[in-house]
């Protein structure tokens, strides 16, 4: 069967996974009466809840005698480690762009990787049936983006289509028949080259492992594209690291190919196809699986280095061990090492104490997803504020700079520009209209200045603004950036919060907890209205007497507390604070729970 390997890349929420749903349906991958959930490729619970793609996943469809292997890639730069590996498996890319928003930062990030590998893109302008769609403007912006990224003449001469993924059609002309996706299938078969590896089926077997998975019945599974030769079940092969070291020899117990949404056992893997292998014990991502006669590993694409680090520690608060079962540092370390093995964008290192671990990654969202998965598995953790990783270049201290693209209503643009170019040391790069009453702002801001900014941004724009960010470059250190301006309200007692006490404390600031919540000394229960921390007593009840007076029996009405999500809490805390994460709760507390130790530490800092 003829073969094509493609990846679909797009910015978050531009309709990539919805389009893959329609490709699967119209190619006959499902039965007529088969029940298929929406966004079928988003199989992880967090992916379905948040509506984003986190893990790259292959699938395949058959179209008129051609098998098309499709890789659904993440749309967020925090998960760029997945994208950089996946692009080495494909021979072409379909770039999906929202016809109203145009190319966005994550589009730019992934496209730059694809163009650098020499892949020729197909551009699909999606959602052209929306009222605010401007397909011609979006197409011009895509061309300008390709030119800025250094695309060659063949890549600039890209074919384009107009589509609606939700409605299930794609046409070469904007006013086409709008019936189905046949035109897109035919364009993929015509434009994407056949894998060159097919000609090497008689050579020794070689495959570069790009993703790591596991199966409760067969164990470790490594997925990649067969670069040369052929492999049968039961054959003995070896694995070689990217540095040329031989890791192990093993017998292949299972070969699985992607057929629709399922993985199907096959007897033989041929050059050019994307398959999963089982049987190995130690081999991992970026290793070369090959015949015993092969000595040299395949080239593995370098992964961009991490830009932030977060400290994962044991939960040592007075409420530790009540919710989760996995609380020991040894168990936490094993889980983090397992994560780093399959996710090459994450680096783990031990702290001198041995009770905590430095986890370096791409961004706050990537860390938030890892922490959320761990808490659902029963872990209890204490998480530090994210710290930016610095780099010395020619003896000069450099820090990561991010390109921030912001879409806001015109009336809020002034407040946003003042925040990002003032104390946060950002540089305004571009400002232009983005539709009726909307402004698009592009700025280069230090990563340090963006930690904790998203909550402020939503407040400044009354929840109507959209902020996207992507790594831009390393630049010389830009000096100190002030952190959170407000202090916090700290509990000085241990017990259960009382409504009357919280009602009296509302004049001091906004609350993070409600009545009947467990508290302990050092726990952060609210934000102070001033810039200093304040210790308060949330357990103080109403004194009762035998004298009745007007107002004595009035019911206490509390303002609804502010509930911070995991990412918001991690971004909110200061350097001397931690987030306590358990399966059932997210709390914030001071790093030093003992008040005398806190005061000594504060004096030492001054």
């Amino acid at each position: 069967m003829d073969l094509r390997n493609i990846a679909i890349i797009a910015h978050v929420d531009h309709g990539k996974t919805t389009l893959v749903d329609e490709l699967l349906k119209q190619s006959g991958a499902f039965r007529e009466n088969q029940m298929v959930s929406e966004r079928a490729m988003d199989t992880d619970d967090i992916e379905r809840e948040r509506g984003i793609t986190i893990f790259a996943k292959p699938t395949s469809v058959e179209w008129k005698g051609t098998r098309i292997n499709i890789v659904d890639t993440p749309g967020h730069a925090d998960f760029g480690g997945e994208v950089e590996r996946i692009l080495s498996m494909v021979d072409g890319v379909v770039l999906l762009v929202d016809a109203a928003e145009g190319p966005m930062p994550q589009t730019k990030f992934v496209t730059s990787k694809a163009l650098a590998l020499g892949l020729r893109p197909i551009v699909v302008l999606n959602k052209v049936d929306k009222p605010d769609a401007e397909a011609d403007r979006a197409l011009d912006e895509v061309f300008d983006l390709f030119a800025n990224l250094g695309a060659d003449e063949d890549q600039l001469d890209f074919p384009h289509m107009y589509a609606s993924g939700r409605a299930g059609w794609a046409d070469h002309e904007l006013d086409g028949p709008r019936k189905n996706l046949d035109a897109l299938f035919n364009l993929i078969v015509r434009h994407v080259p056949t894998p060159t590896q097919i000609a090497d089926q008689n050579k020794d077997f070689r495959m570069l492992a790009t993703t790591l998975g596991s199966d409760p019945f067969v164990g470790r599974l490594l997925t990649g594209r067969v670069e040369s030769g052929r492999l049968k079940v039961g054959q003995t092969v070896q694995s070689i690291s990217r540095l040329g070291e031989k890791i192990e020899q093993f017998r292949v117990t299972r070969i699985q190919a992607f057929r629709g949404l399922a993985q199907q056992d096959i007897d033989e893997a041929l050059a050019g196809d994307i398959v999963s292998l089982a049987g190995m014990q130690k081999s991992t991502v970026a290793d070369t699986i090959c015949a015993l006669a092969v000595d040299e590993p395949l080239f593995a694409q370098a992964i961009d280095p991490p830009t932030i680090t977060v400290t994962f520690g044991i939960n040592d608060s007075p409420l530790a061990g009540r919710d989760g079962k996995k609380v020991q540092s040894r168990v936490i370390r094993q889980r983090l090492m397992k994560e780093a093995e399959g996710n090459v964008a994450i680096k783990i290192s031990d702290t001198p104490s041995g009770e905590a671990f430095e986890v370096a990654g791409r961004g706050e969202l990537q860390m938030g997803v890892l922490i959320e998965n761990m808490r659902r598995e029963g872990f209890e953790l204490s998480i530090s504020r994210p710290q930016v990783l610095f780099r010395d270049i020619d003896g000069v201290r450099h820090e990561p700079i991010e390109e921030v693209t912001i879409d806001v209503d015109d009336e809020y643009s002034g407040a946003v520009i003042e925040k990002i170019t003032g104390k946060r040391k950002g540089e305004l790069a571009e400002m232009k209209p983005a539709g009726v009453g909307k402004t698009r702002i592009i700025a280069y801001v230090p990563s340090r200045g963006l930690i904790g900014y998203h909550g402020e941004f939503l407040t400044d724009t009354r929840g109507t603004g959209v902020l996207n960010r992507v790594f831009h470059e390393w630049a010389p250190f830009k000096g100190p950036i002030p952190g959170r301006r407000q202090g916090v309200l700290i509990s000085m007692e241990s017990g259960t919060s009382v409504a009357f006490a919280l009602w009296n404390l509302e004049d001091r600031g906004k609350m993070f907890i409600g009545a009947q919540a467990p508290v302990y000394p050092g726990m952060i229960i609210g934000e102070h209205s001033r810039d200093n921390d304040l210790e308060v007593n949330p357990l103080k009840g109403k004194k009762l007497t035998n004298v009745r007076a007007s107002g004595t029996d009035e019911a206490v009405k509390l303002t609804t507390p502010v509930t911070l999500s995991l990412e918001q809490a991690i971004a909110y805390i200061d350097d001397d604070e931690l987030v306590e994460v358990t399966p059932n709760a997210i709390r914030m507390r001071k790093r030093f729970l003992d008040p005398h130790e806190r005061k000594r530490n504060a004096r030492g800092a001054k």
Side-chain angles (χ1 to χ4, degrees), residues 311 382-387 484 486-490 512 522-524 526 532-533 569-580 587-592 598 601:
T311 302
S382 61
I383 308 296
S384 74
R385 175 180 169 85
Q387 301 290 331
R484 189 183 67 216
Q486 304 300 115
V488 291
L489 301 176
I490 306 168
F512 295 147
M523 177 177 163
I524 297 171
N532 63 304
D533 294 346
I570 293 171
Y572 179 83
I573 58 174
D574 220 332
D575 291 337
D576 65 337
E577 297 163 1
L578 297 171
V579 177
E580 175 188 347
R587 307 182 185 96
M588 295 179 289
R589 65 177 176 86
K590 285 293 181 179
R591 189 181 293 269
F592 302 101
R598 283 204 304 275
N601 191 64

Side-chain angles (χ1 to χ4, degrees), residues 288-520:
T288 299
I289 312 298
C290 56
L292 300 179
V294 177
D295 295 324
E296 293 293 325
L298 292 166
F299 171 75
Q301 184 73 22
I303 302 297
D304 286 346
T307 55
I308 70 163
T309 180
V310 173
T311 302
F312 284 52
I314 59 173
N315 181 16
D316 54 0
S317 82
L319 301 178
R322 296 191 182 184
D323 294 343
K325 301 297 182 184
K326 302 174 182 178
V327 296
Q328 305 94 333
S329 60
R330 169 183 55 82
V331 179
I332 294 172
R333 186 180 191 278
Q334 288 175 352
R335 175 64 177 82
L336 291 174
M337 290 302 177
K338 180 182 177 183
E339 182 71 24
E341 189 176 21
N343 188 346
V344 293
I346 284 182
K347 305 286 185 248
I348 313 292
S349 58
D350 295 332
T351 58
S353 67
E355 295 292 322
F357 312 97
E358 297 284 347
V359 182
R362 292 288 181 84
E364 295 162 60
L365 180 60
Q366 184 189 33
M367 292 294 149
V369 168
L370 171 59
I371 296 165
E372 181 65 32
N373 277 322
M374 291 181 68
R375 71 182 285 229
R376 293 184 184 198
E377 294 166 15
F379 284 87
E380 289 197 8
L381 306 163
S382 61
I383 308 296
S384 74
R385 175 180 169 85
Q387 301 290 331
V388 170
L389 291 170
F390 297 98
R391 180 188 284 186
D392 282 336
I393 302 176
D394 298 329
V396 179
R397 192 185 194 195
H398 282 60
E399 65 175 328
I401 304 294
E402 300 194 28
E403 179 184 310
V404 182
T405 302
I406 299 171
D407 288 325
V408 293
D409 294 340
D410 294 341
E411 58 189 297
Y412 305 129
S413 58
V416 171
I417 292 173
E418 182 184 355
K419 285 282 180 71
I420 62 176
T421 59
K423 294 180 179 179
R424 298 183 182 275
K425 303 291 179 71
E427 297 177 5
L428 187 64
E430 189 177 351
M431 183 175 173
K432 60 184 179 182
V436 180
K438 289 276 190 180
T439 299
R440 174 166 294 181
I441 300 165
I442 300 176
Y444 300 124
V445 187
S447 296
R448 291 180 297 134
L450 293 172
I451 294 176
Y453 173 60
H454 197 258
E456 271 186 59
F457 170 75
L458 291 177
T459 302
D460 292 341
T461 61
R462 306 297 186 270
T464 61
V466 177
L467 183 149
N468 292 285
R469 45 194 278 197
V470 66
F471 175 77
H472 178 61
E473 64 176 354
W474 293 90
F477 183 69
K478 294 187 177 293
I481 295 177
R484 189 183 67 216
R485 291 179 300 171
Q486 304 300 115
V488 291
L489 301 176
I490 306 168
S491 171
M492 58 193 301
E493 297 291 341
S494 180
T496 303
S497 61
V498 176
F500 182 77
L502 297 179
W503 180 66
N504 282 319
L505 289 172
E506 285 187 350
D507 292 339
R508 297 289 189 177
K510 56 187 180 184
M511 293 293 141
F512 295 147
I513 65 167
Q516 300 302 305
V519 297
Y520 54 83

Side-chain angles (χ1 to χ4, degrees), residues 35 41 84 87-88 157 176 186 204 223-224 229 276 299 497 538 576:
M35 288 292 294
M41 292 294 288
E84 292 164 43
L87 290 177
S88 65
D157 188 23
N186 293 330
D204 289 328
T223 302
S276 296
F299 171 75
S497 61
D576 65 337

Side-chain angles (χ1 to χ4, degrees), residues 161-226:
M161 301 194 75
Y162 304 94
S164 171
R166 183 170 292 278
W169 60 264
D171 293 316
H172 291 288
E173 303 296 334
L174 187 56
D175 54 354
R178 302 191 173 188
K179 290 183 178 179
N180 49 42
L181 293 171
D182 289 8
L184 179 56
F185 279 118
N186 293 330
L187 179 59
I188 290 171
V189 173
R190 278 200 324 270
H191 183 75
V192 177
T194 303
T196 56
Q197 291 80 6
I198 290 180
D200 299 331
Q201 289 187 2
N202 295 322
K203 296 184 178 179
D204 289 328
F205 171 78
R206 293 185 304 163
M207 185 188 93
L208 181 67
T210 52
T211 62
L212 173 69
S214 62
D215 184 280
F217 300 105
V218 299
R220 183 177 293 225
L221 286 168
L222 284 175
T223 302
R225 179 174 65 178
V226 181

